[in-house]
Amino acid sequence: MQQYQVIVIGTGPAGYVCAIRCAQLGMKVACVEKYITANGKPAVGGTCLNVGCIPSKALLDSSHHLQFLREHAKEHGLNVSNITVDIPAMQKRKDKVVQTLTSGVASLLKKNKITVFSGTASFISARQIHVKNPTVDGVTEKLQGKHIIIASGSKPIQIQGVQIDNQLVSDSTGALNFRTAPKRLGIIGAGVIGLEMGSVWNRLGSKVIILEAMQTFLNLADETIAKEGFKALSKQGLDVRLGRSVNAIGVSDGKVLVKYSGNESLAVDKLIVAVGRKANTEGLKLESINVKTDARGFIEVDSGWQTSVKNVYAIGDVIGGAMLAHKGSEEGMALAERLAGQAGQVNYHAVPWVIYTWPEIAWVGKTEKQCKDANVAYRTGVFPFMALGRARAMGDTQGLIKIIGDKNTDRILGVHIIGANASELISEAVIAIEAELSTEDLARTIHAHPSLAEGMHEAALAVAERAIHV
């Protein structure tokens, strides 16, 4: 039996980062990864690199270039005609991006002398696991570890009674691999995945209809940003229908028929089911060692990410909360440092959220509603992109930056952005909240001109009603 100080189950952003940090701190580490590519080869990187964050952003960027050429190039004096779209070539580029990054992670694991086992892990005891190789029948490994870390991630939630074939009815993975743009595309769920995939295929020529059960759009985002986002995406052609609960899904004559609330129905060429994700714990045999899970199947952990079983830990999507790659990575870093006797920690109040539509949507900290619900006295400052010289020069003037500050202490409570490059701009806000800065601190910080980041400066000034350029 092979023995290790740390065994990490899963090599997504939570798992591989944790493994590398453990190795950096002098521990003997092994990882177990069950993912197999479409061509039958093992690959590290988990959902994020293989069928999530990275491939979706590759398609979003490719389709955004097309949108620019068709709708905005002429404004810049660029006369482009006879534009053609080669979706298979676009998919090939996406696959190359994924392969490059997963190979890079494999190299990092090797560089740090981490042993990677391909296969499905299952617990024998709190310190032992079986690893069954998915490509070779009957081949198993038995591993023993002082600490075992579950970082097995999440998988798409399926609607009961709906068969996902990734032909007519797809989950988020299948939605990344269409070879042609369907004439009519239905999406169930107006969350991050639904909006990003809807944006991709809308740009590539599909008529996209999104059915959302919630009565509100992007209920996790600040209301000001959500309203602006709904308006922007609707203008682009996304037909987002709120308060629509799906009752039945059927397939007939090569079409997908969706019946939803109000006795309404929708016929589409393809349907994407994007109603959320759940913990990926299948096959781990958690019950055999009494690891506790909550009512939704997420693994319960304490403040140090230890499960109900001593020396068994869990991080990333598998424990729920903000199911974000960067959140999982930080948990992996912090846990590794705790296992080494250091004081690793994660500030969950400073975790940024990003939706990679265009304009992008990003936020960190509290929303205005959360402040109201908590009876926190606050002030807000808002600054529009249309007043930024850099945004004007780019031709991307849609959006705004909103800063929420504590009325009594002036500490920054939340920052909310919709606009070009919001995914990059939010980092300044994350640092500000992590460092417990005030809106005055941002207002007194010199920002380069012309830049989109000036909007952060002006929004901070606006909190005290002294913005210059509005």
Side-chain angles (χ1 to χ4, degrees):
M1 184 187 301
Q2 300 190 57
Q3 300 194 20
Y4 299 88
Q5 287 174 278
V6 175
I7 299 172
V8 182
I9 301 173
T11 61
Y16 85 75
V17 169
C18 183
I20 289 173
R21 188 67 184 120
C22 284
Q24 288 176 341
L25 292 166
M27 302 176 211
K28 183 181 180 182
V29 184
C31 286
V32 181
E33 177 56 65
K34 68 178 182 180
Y35 183 77
I36 300 294
T37 64
N39 60 11
K41 294 183 179 180
V44 295
T47 293
C48 178
L49 269 69
N50 287 283
V51 291
C53 315
I54 299 305
S56 63
K57 302 314 164 285
L59 291 179
L60 281 160
D61 280 341
S62 294
S63 60
H64 180 63
H65 291 318
L66 174 65
Q67 184 181 36
F68 171 79
L69 291 172
R70 282 180 171 168
E71 300 180 14
H72 306 293
K74 193 172 182 180
E75 301 170 12
H76 293 263
L78 303 174
N79 296 311
V80 183
S81 60
N82 299 320
I83 300 170
T84 60
V85 178
D86 187 341
I87 292 178
M90 193 179 292
Q91 293 286 13
K92 186 176 180 180
R93 174 188 175 273
K94 175 208 72 179
D95 293 341
K96 184 177 180 181
V97 170
V98 169
Q99 195 276 329
T100 299
L101 290 174
T102 54
S103 296
V105 171
S107 296
L108 289 172
L109 293 169
K110 183 178 180 180
K111 175 185 174 183
N112 285 278
K113 297 179 173 58
I114 297 165
T115 305
V116 179
F117 293 89
S118 176
T120 301
S122 59
F123 279 93
I124 302 170
S125 69
R127 293 201 175 184
Q128 293 181 355
I129 62 170
H130 261 135
V131 180
K132 184 177 181 181
N133 191 307
T135 60
V136 183
D137 290 340
V139 175
T140 63
E141 297 271 2
K142 186 181 287 187
L143 310 180
Q144 180 164 313
K146 180 180 179 181
H147 305 290
I148 299 178
I149 300 168
I150 304 168
S152 50
S154 62
K155 60 183 179 181
I157 293 173
Q158 294 189 12
I159 299 175
Q160 188 173 4
V162 177
Q163 182 65 39
I164 301 293
D165 60 10
N166 283 326
Q167 297 297 320
L168 293 177
V169 182
S170 299
D171 57 17
S172 56
T173 300
L176 293 166
N177 295 313
F178 294 166
R179 308 304 289 181
T180 60
K183 187 174 181 180
R184 284 173 63 85
L185 173 64
I187 300 177
I188 303 176
V192 176
I193 295 171
L195 293 177
E196 290 185 354
M197 288 296 92
S199 292
V200 167
W201 296 110
N202 174 60
R203 294 167 187 169
L204 295 175
S206 298
K207 170 59 182 174
V208 178
I209 304 98
I210 303 178
L211 305 177
E212 170 56 53
M214 299 288 291
Q215 295 287 346
T216 54
F217 182 68
L218 288 181
N219 63 311
L220 289 178
D222 186 85
E223 187 177 356
T224 303
I225 301 300
K227 286 182 177 179
E228 187 75 11
F230 187 85
K231 181 172 67 175
L233 295 174
S234 297
K235 186 177 179 181
Q236 291 173 19
L238 292 182
D239 181 358
V240 182
R241 303 177 186 179
L242 303 174
R244 305 301 206 279
S245 296
V246 173
N247 299 322
I249 298 172
V251 176
S252 178
D253 295 327
K255 301 284 185 181
V256 185
L257 183 65
V258 184
K259 295 182 179 180
Y260 55 97
S261 49
N263 293 319
E264 295 183 88
S265 63
L266 173 70
V268 293
D269 298 292
K270 287 184 182 289
L271 180 71
I272 299 172
V273 178
V275 293
R277 300 182 67 83
K278 62 181 181 180
N280 185 17
T281 58
E282 185 178 355
L284 287 175
K285 297 184 179 180
L286 299 179
E287 67 284 354
S288 68
I289 61 168
N290 297 316
V291 169
K292 291 182 180 178
T293 58
D294 65 17
R296 295 185 299 157
F298 292 105
I299 296 175
E300 295 181 352
V301 294
D302 63 15
S303 60
W305 303 285
Q306 183 169 270
T307 70
S308 53
V309 177
K310 187 177 181 181
N311 296 319
V312 177
Y313 304 83
I315 53 175
D317 282 7
V318 79
I319 66 172
M323 297 172 77
L324 303 166
H326 44 277
K327 176 269 222 181
S329 293
E330 289 305 310
E331 288 171 342
M333 291 272 286
L335 174 56
E337 289 167 359
R338 287 195 177 204
L339 294 180
Q342 300 180 9
Q345 62 179 348
V346 175
N347 180 1
Y348 288 105
H349 299 295
V351 176
W353 293 70
V354 182
I355 304 175
Y356 293 86
T357 51
W358 198 269
E360 292 181 339
I361 299 169
W363 69 90
V364 63
K366 294 183 181 299
T367 64
E368 192 169 345
K369 183 179 185 300
Q370 287 172 333
C371 292
K372 288 178 181 177
D373 291 346
N375 293 316
V376 174
Y378 65 91
R379 302 181 299 172
T380 64
V382 176
F383 193 79
F385 270 59
M386 68 174 61
L388 291 169
R390 180 71 174 128
R392 285 283 176 187
M394 291 169 60
D396 269 307
T397 58
Q398 189 168 27
L400 58 90
I401 297 174
K402 177 178 181 178
I403 296 178
I404 303 172
D406 189 293
K407 189 174 182 179
N408 298 315
T409 67
D410 196 39
R411 180 177 293 177
I412 297 169
L413 301 175
V415 177
H416 308 270
I417 308 171
I418 177 170
N421 299 337
S423 60
E424 305 295 336
L425 294 172
I426 200 65
S427 294
E428 179 179 355
V430 175
I431 292 171
I433 288 180
E434 181 68 38
E436 300 184 352
L437 299 183
S438 65
T439 69
E440 183 69 13
D441 288 323
L442 276 190
R444 296 291 179 184
T445 299
I446 300 171
H447 290 69
H449 173 78
S451 67
L452 297 179
E454 285 182 288
M456 194 77 73
H457 180 236
E458 289 276 4
L461 288 168
V463 172
E465 299 182 350
R466 65 181 203 269
I468 300 300
H469 293 96
V470 289

